[in-house]
């Protein structure tokens, strides 16, 4: 009897040791993130303004205005720290950084308001049920819906009358990234009871499935539509190596976007598309062993070119959700591998460095010479999101609440 008890205890001890690294990777990352992000909070709140940190270059933190597409990620990162720690410090600062985005609910000149408002107000609402946040989300959905082009059945991503987009001759460019804005539309229908937003989201997802993909399930970055006839005018890249190449972050938005569309619709074709994208990613000979992609899967300079940690973090987060919907262990195994890689000194900055950002080595837009091999606030956002999803799955609960 005594022997049996001792051997049971010994087995339990062995099991605990075997489990330890798995569980500790989340705790260790949260501890590290707390140190890094506190310094970033302090820097961004120095003086009497609240600024939005986006990256760190040449020894300086760069800040963006509220209408920049990345403005929601830092508040979202702080909300995730609150979710991971329960420490009100993070909620207080998250709220401060969220509410400076108030005017974005009326922004109509680009499509990224889903990222901007859902990652900030959406997370704040989910975690703290703050009065008025639902209205901001519904107003934002209204603004985003002004970009719906009924003949083409899509939301127009970019305007064509300004910046470098004006030089491309496009009429109604839609980028794969736009799938990410659908989450806000689905939630707005839930909050308002107005089905218009979800219908737009479904139409956009269906058209994207139809027109953005190659036979191998890699995605184009840009599809230009004729908004008067609905016809596809051409397929291009903006941030990738070439029109026919597979820009890494585009593939990341693609797997995340269709997994999320399945969450809201239970439509199996979206899940199947996400699985097909996973198939493309993990059978790609240019996917490195550590599963942190090069910035473009078809860059001819591989392996002598940049990795993009942001793509890896987005893919990991999507894979945890895909694992939950499909029950396929391989997706969690791949996501865990990515998290392990990103948590290593190869990608995770030493404390007190990197301007307070967590991850190094992301690429914003190489063709535009912008933000190459630097930290990016969205890499950190999706990294923390992936850790939350991992932790939830390991507790046997849904990685993401609808
Ligand atoms: N949505 C812009 C980007 O992924 O760089």
């Amino acid at each position: 009897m005594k022997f049996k008890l001792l051997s049971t205890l010994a087995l339990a001890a062995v099991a605990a040791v075997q489990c330890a690294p798995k569980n500790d990777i989340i705790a260790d990352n949260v501890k590290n993130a707390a140190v890094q992000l506190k310094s970033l909070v302090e820097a961004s709140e120095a003086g009497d303004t609240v600024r939005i940190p986006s990256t760190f270059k040449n020894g300086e933190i760069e800040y963006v205005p509220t209408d920049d597409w990345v403005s929601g990620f830092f508040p979202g990162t702080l909300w995730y720290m609150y979710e991971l720690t329960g420490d009100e410090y993070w909620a207080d600062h998250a709220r401060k950084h969220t509410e400076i985005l108030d005017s974005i609910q009326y922004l109509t000149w680009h499509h990224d308001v889903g990222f901007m408002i859902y990652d900030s107000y959406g997370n704040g609402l989910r975690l703290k049920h703050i009065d008025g946040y639902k209205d901001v989300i519904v107003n934002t959905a209204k603004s985003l819906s002004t970009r719906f082009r009924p003949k083409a059945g899509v939301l127009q991503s970019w305007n064509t009358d300004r910046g470098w987009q004006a030089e491309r001759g496009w009429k109604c460019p839609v980028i794969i990234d736009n799938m990410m804005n659908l989450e806000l539309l689905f939630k707005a229908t839930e909050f308002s009871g107005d089905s218009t937003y979800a219908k737009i989201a479904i139409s956009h997802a269906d058209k994207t499935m139809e027109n953005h993909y190659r036979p191998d399930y890699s995605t184009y970055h840009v599809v230009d539509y004729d908004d008067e006839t609905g016809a596809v005018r051409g397929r291009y890249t903006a941030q990738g190596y070439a029109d026919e190449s597979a820009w890494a972050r585009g593939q990341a938005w693609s797997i995340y976007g269709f997994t999320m569309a399945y969450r809201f619709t239970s439509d199996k074709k979206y899940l199947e598309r996400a699985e097909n994208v996973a198939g493309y990613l993990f059978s790609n000979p240019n996917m490195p062993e550590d599963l942190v992609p090069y910035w473009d899967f078809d860059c001819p300079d591989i392996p002598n070119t940049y990795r993009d940690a942001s793509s890896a973090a987005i893919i990991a987060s999507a894979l945890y959700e895909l694992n939950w919907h499909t029950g396929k262990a391989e997706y969690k195994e791949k996501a865990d591998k990515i998290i392990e890689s990103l948590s290593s000194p190869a990608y995770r900055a030493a404390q007190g460095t990197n301007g307070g950002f967590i991850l190094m080595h992301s690429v914003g837009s190489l063709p535009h010479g912008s933000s190459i091999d630097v930290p990016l606030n969205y890499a950190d956002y999706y990294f923390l999101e992936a850790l939350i999803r991992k932790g939830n799955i390991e507790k046997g609960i849904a990685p993401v609440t609808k």
Side-chain angles (χ1 to χ4, degrees), residues 69-70 111-112 115 158 175 177-178 221 239 247 249-250 253 310 314 363-365 378:
W69 82 276
V70 305
H111 69 139
D112 286 314
F115 282 114
W158 295 324
I175 60 175
D177 324 28
N178 207 339
H221 185 197
Q239 287 166 249
W247 173 51
R249 204 164 44 259
W253 298 139
S310 76
I314 297 159
V363 174
S365 180
Y378 43 100

Side-chain angles (χ1 to χ4, degrees), residues 148 155 179 182-183 185-186 196-206 270:
F148 186 62
L155 291 154
M179 281 299 298
L182 307 187
E183 190 166 17
L185 294 179
F186 284 121
T196 313
Y197 308 119
K199 282 184 186 150
I200 290 176
I202 289 167
S203 171
H204 185 93
D206 288 349
Y270 297 149

Side-chain angles (χ1 to χ4, degrees), residues 208-219:
T208 301
M209 263 188 77
E210 196 181 315
N211 293 321
H212 251 83
Y213 286 85
R214 304 186 183 96
D216 64 359
Y217 298 107
S218 66
T219 172

